[in-house]
Amino acid sequence: SITAKLINGGVAGLVGVTCVFPIDLAKTRLQNQHGKAMYKGMIDCLLKTARAEGFFGMYRGAAVNLTLVTPEKAIKLAANDFFRQLLMEDGMQRNLKMEMLAGCGAGMCQVVVTSPMEMLKIQLQDAGRLAIHHQGSASAPSTSRSYTTGSASTHKRPSATLIARELLRTQGLAGLYKGLGATLLRDIPFSIIYFPLFANLNNLGFNELAGKASFAHSFVSGCVAGSVAAVAVTPLDVLKTRIQTLKKGLGEDMYSGITDCARKLWIQEGPSAFMKGAGCRALVIAPLFGIAQGVYFIGIGERILKVF
């Protein structure tokens, strides 16, 4: 049932995001810092964020994610199942090429929601880093850019609604989809790696009596496949984060596109900059997709539909 799949994806997304969002915030801030490091690592970033902004400061941007993660995860998981059944006859036959193609289709479908969600989330997650950055350089002339041309700076307490409204007013729908190419460049390879790897790992624990793998096996399979795929596409995620960050601190570059961003990153910060936040990303994606696949295979959506 497509309805059950959508419910499963939505529930999994809500639970997963609530659990791992602070680590995702640390990832964004680590990827965005240029030159002299403000944060030494994930733990240092979370401690400094909690001290400066309080506990809920670690959940900046969570509302956007919690609102949009349900359709995003629902589209991703349901689209993958749809393409698997379409391309692989009964949907169960092992065919790596078809599995990768199904994953590609899922990645392309989800970007409709993922791109604006990530766009808004990144601005909110990075606001605290920028506030500290500006405090440290208050005596220097400001070259910071506002989220929009001609509007007042909103870096102290931006809201997703305000940012979205201003982007739509000044740039139209294209403003919310800034970095769409970079998002596709990240999400399609991720899905191509993740879904076939998960399917094959999960199949190793298939129980003929139950007709599916156990919750524990599905959870571990989701964690392993998610962490492998996450680390593999980290360089693309760094480029996407930098391109989608609308507001820059003093001395931080603006980028005209993916190639310009990659070139400046390589020249100014070296090859290691492409792996910034890789550990955080693995720690975010592993439980996120472990929870997602566990919920998906428990069949919460099916149970809810039975009640009604």
Side-chain angles (χ1 to χ4, degrees):
S1 167
I2 188 67
T3 305
K5 290 172 183 175
L6 294 175
I7 293 172
N8 285 331
V11 171
L14 290 171
V15 174
V17 167
T18 303
C19 292
V20 303
F21 193 84
I23 304 174
D24 186 62
L25 179 138
K27 181 217 67 151
T28 296
R29 294 190 177 185
L30 290 171
Q31 287 181 339
N32 262 335
Q33 64 180 2
H34 299 199
K36 186 179 178 181
M38 185 182 300
Y39 307 112
K40 297 176 183 177
M42 180 188 72
I43 301 298
D44 183 55
C45 179
L46 292 175
L47 289 174
K48 286 180 178 177
T49 299
R51 281 199 296 266
E53 304 167 55
F55 174 79
F56 290 106
M58 294 188 292
Y59 279 87
R60 275 197 178 190
V64 176
N65 250 36
L66 290 171
T67 302
L68 296 179
V69 75
T70 298
E72 190 235 13
K73 284 288 177 288
I75 290 170
K76 189 184 189 83
L77 295 172
N80 180 68
D81 269 6
F82 171 78
F83 285 117
R84 283 176 66 86
Q85 291 172 5
L86 183 68
L87 296 168
M88 299 169 63
E89 297 177 2
D90 61 358
M92 297 297 292
Q93 181 185 356
R94 300 267 74 83
N95 186 321
L96 184 58
K97 289 182 180 179
M98 292 298 103
E99 287 174 341
M100 292 175 72
L101 193 57
C104 177
M108 291 181 70
C109 289
Q110 75 165 85
V111 82
V112 175
V113 176
T114 304
S115 189
M117 179 182 76
E118 295 262 318
M119 176 72 173
L120 296 173
K121 181 196 73 171
I122 285 171
Q123 316 317 315
L124 299 172
Q125 286 182 327
D126 204 41
R129 182 190 71 87
L130 284 173
I132 296 172
H133 184 94
H134 280 274
Q135 287 171 7
S137 54
S139 59
S142 176
T143 59
S144 165
R145 301 193 183 192
S146 154
Y147 289 117
T148 62
T149 55
S151 66
S153 174
T154 58
H155 83 264
K156 286 187 178 180
R157 280 293 175 186
S159 73
T161 305
L162 174 62
I163 297 169
R165 188 185 298 127
E166 288 296 303
L167 284 171
L168 288 170
R169 183 179 64 83
T170 58
Q171 301 177 33
L173 195 60
L176 281 177
Y177 279 88
K178 180 180 172 66
L180 175 63
T183 306
L184 279 168
L185 200 61
R186 180 200 68 174
D187 286 352
I188 291 177
F190 178 90
S191 295
I192 288 173
I193 296 169
Y194 172 78
F195 282 111
L197 181 57
F198 169 76
N200 285 278
L201 288 174
N202 195 58
N203 191 56
L204 295 175
F206 184 80
N207 186 319
E208 292 185 3
L209 293 176
K212 58 185 178 182
S214 67
F215 170 82
H217 190 87
S218 291
F219 179 83
V220 173
S221 297
C223 288
V224 172
S227 59
V228 169
V231 172
V233 302
T234 293
L236 303 171
D237 187 58
V238 172
L239 295 178
K240 184 200 72 67
T241 300
R242 292 286 182 98
I243 290 169
Q244 286 190 319
T245 301
L246 299 176
K247 200 169 188 182
K248 305 290 184 179
L250 292 170
E252 295 180 352
D253 289 314
M254 298 294 292
Y255 308 107
S256 60
I258 297 170
T259 304
D260 180 57
C261 181
R263 181 180 59 81
K264 287 179 178 176
L265 201 63
W266 180 277
I267 294 171
Q268 297 173 10
E269 301 177 55
S272 61
F274 287 92
M275 293 304 292
K276 281 186 175 182
C280 289
R281 184 162 166 74
L283 288 173
V284 168
I285 297 297
L288 189 62
F289 278 85
I291 291 168
Q293 294 297 354
V295 169
Y296 207 64
F297 278 82
I298 283 176
I300 288 179
E302 288 82 355
R303 294 168 190 261
I304 290 173
L305 289 178
K306 282 181 182 179
V307 172
F308 293 99

